[in-house]
Amino acid sequence: MTTLEQPTRARPAYREVEIEVQVRRRETVSDGVVALTLAAPDGVDLPEWAPGAHIDLLMTPSLVRQYSLCGDTANRAEWRVGVLLDPDSRGGSQFVHDKLHEGATVRVRGPRNHFPLVGSPRYLFIAGGIGVTPILPMIAAAQAAGADWRLLYGGRTRSSMAFVDELRRHGDRVTVCARDAGDGASFRANLTAALAQPGPNTLVYCCGPEGLLTAVEQACRTWPEDSLHVERFAAKELDPLAPDSLVTFEVECQRSGLTLTVPQDKSVYQVCEEAGVDVLGSCMEGVCGTCECDVLEGEPDHRDSVLNDAEKARGDVMMICVSRSRSERLVLDL
């Protein structure tokens, strides 16, 4: 087991590991979705995690994908993930569905959390399709804390909506809307009604396809700052009206003692890696948060889909796989 020291500011910091795990159980939880229960072959405890955390599956050296943990946070012996077979798969979900049967082994890295559940007396959870996976442990935590909560869960077809059976026990706290059952309009109506006015002492957690996230972000513009928390599957489209970053700029890697020039056609991550600086990355799209780095001086140009607006405004961290600079020089804790 390799332990990785990856503390993150203002986010749950875990003991990350890189370890080979075995598929202990594989269940089909809906059309096109399998749930994998992973455990260390020697039975050692896995690192603790909290709702919102994800792990990397290192399926091949060039095929690394992130999946939300959706099991029981108290079960240190096992991790569980749910994986949708994407018809447009770039290889990750296809590998999981074709290769990771019971008894198979796969290398994993994590856990990491860029979607942490903040304490609150009330929650509105919103999930679209496989976006329900990080919401499951959040519901369990809210329930255990005695918080008031409800879930709006939408999908294409009821048969494709994962973990519906697990959610039934919560009764009318959960609203399930499937388009094939004629519930598409109902889901939109429920969403509009739920977000029309800011809920008192209410936090909104949303995960799902981009169309849903965009609609929820727009609806929550009148809510207090930091009410909304989202997690994306893919990179958010950049604002074309945002100020342009510099074409080239310098990066001082303080711990490494190197000063490097970042050209227009390369990322900070690429330049640092080529210079032998120890950097860790995965998605290279600004989605997973693996490459998060502390900014000691300078003004980053944030192009990621991980940090919220307040975190971007603070400018104390950046995702070096996609973000650039608005200042001539950045000093990074690398």
Side-chain angles (χ1 to χ4, degrees):
M1 180 187 297
T2 302
T3 300
L4 309 169
E5 295 299 329
Q6 184 88 356
T8 54
R9 81 47 240 103
R11 300 178 188 277
Y14 303 120
R15 177 178 63 89
E16 287 193 25
V17 298
E18 186 171 319
I19 183 176
E20 188 172 86
V21 295
Q22 188 173 52
V23 180
R24 180 169 288 177
R25 287 186 301 281
R26 172 176 163 137
E27 311 160 74
T28 299
V29 291
S30 70
D31 290 348
V33 179
V34 295
L36 304 181
T37 299
L38 309 171
D42 59 3
V44 300
D45 278 355
L46 299 170
E48 63 181 343
W49 60 280
H54 69 265
I55 57 173
D56 299 338
L57 292 190
L58 289 70
M59 292 167 274
T60 71
S62 61
L63 187 60
V64 181
R65 296 291 184 268
Q66 293 73 43
Y67 297 103
S68 297
L69 291 169
C70 59
D72 179 1
T73 58
N75 184 357
R76 295 287 303 280
E78 299 175 336
W79 283 340
R80 184 174 72 153
V81 296
V83 182
L84 168 69
L85 179 58
D86 186 346
D88 300 317
S89 173
R90 294 174 297 155
S93 67
Q94 192 74 56
F95 185 100
V96 170
H97 279 251
D98 290 349
K99 305 290 187 183
L100 296 187
H101 299 283
E102 290 186 3
T105 59
V106 64
R107 200 150 189 86
V108 300
R109 183 170 60 216
R112 192 175 304 111
N113 199 340
H114 291 275
F115 191 42
L117 185 69
V118 179
S120 177
R122 294 184 184 86
Y123 298 97
L124 172 61
F125 299 114
I126 303 169
I130 196 62
V132 74
T133 50
I135 302 297
L136 295 177
M138 292 185 177
I139 287 174
Q143 189 85 1
D148 184 19
W149 65 270
R150 58 182 297 217
L151 166 66
L152 299 179
Y153 180 16
R156 291 183 299 103
T157 65
R158 187 169 288 265
S159 64
S160 71
M161 296 175 70
F163 306 109
V164 167
D165 290 342
E166 291 186 24
L167 292 166
R168 276 203 187 99
R169 68 179 183 272
H170 297 299
D172 60 6
R173 286 180 182 265
V174 177
T175 301
V176 175
C177 300
R179 289 201 297 273
D180 71 331
D183 292 337
S186 174
F187 183 68
R188 290 190 294 273
N190 275 288
L191 199 60
T192 299
L195 299 175
Q197 298 292 332
N201 300 312
T202 301
L203 296 182
V204 180
Y205 278 79
C206 182
C207 184
E210 185 58 37
L212 173 63
L213 298 182
T214 299
V216 170
E217 286 176 330
Q218 291 173 347
C220 285
R221 284 177 178 170
T222 60
W223 285 58
E225 187 178 359
D226 292 336
S227 294
L228 175 62
H229 302 257
V230 302
E231 183 168 58
R232 285 183 152 79
F233 299 145
K236 185 177 182 180
E237 187 174 343
L238 293 175
D239 181 359
L241 301 179
D244 292 333
S245 63
L246 297 177
V247 174
T248 63
F249 55 94
E250 285 190 344
V251 167
E252 179 184 335
C253 303
Q254 189 180 71
R255 282 189 284 118
S256 301
L258 296 175
T259 298
L260 309 170
T261 299
V262 181
Q264 185 176 20
D265 61 344
K266 290 186 178 181
S267 67
V268 175
Y269 183 95
Q270 288 173 302
V271 169
C272 290
E273 186 178 45
E274 289 171 3
V277 178
D278 186 17
V279 288
L280 186 64
S282 181
C283 73
M284 299 301 143
E285 296 179 353
V287 175
C288 72
T290 305
C291 67
E292 180 179 332
C293 176
D294 287 337
V295 178
L296 306 178
E297 293 180 30
E299 182 185 0
D301 174 25
H302 297 289
R303 301 185 175 193
D304 66 272
S305 300
V306 175
L307 302 175
N308 61 34
D309 290 344
E311 290 168 332
K312 289 178 179 179
R314 284 201 296 270
D316 56 353
V317 297
M318 66 184 290
M319 306 301 155
I320 61 173
C321 70
V322 291
S323 296
R324 297 185 66 81
S325 181
R326 292 198 176 108
S327 55
E328 298 282 349
R329 185 182 184 88
L330 287 175
V331 180
L332 304 179
D333 184 26
L334 290 171

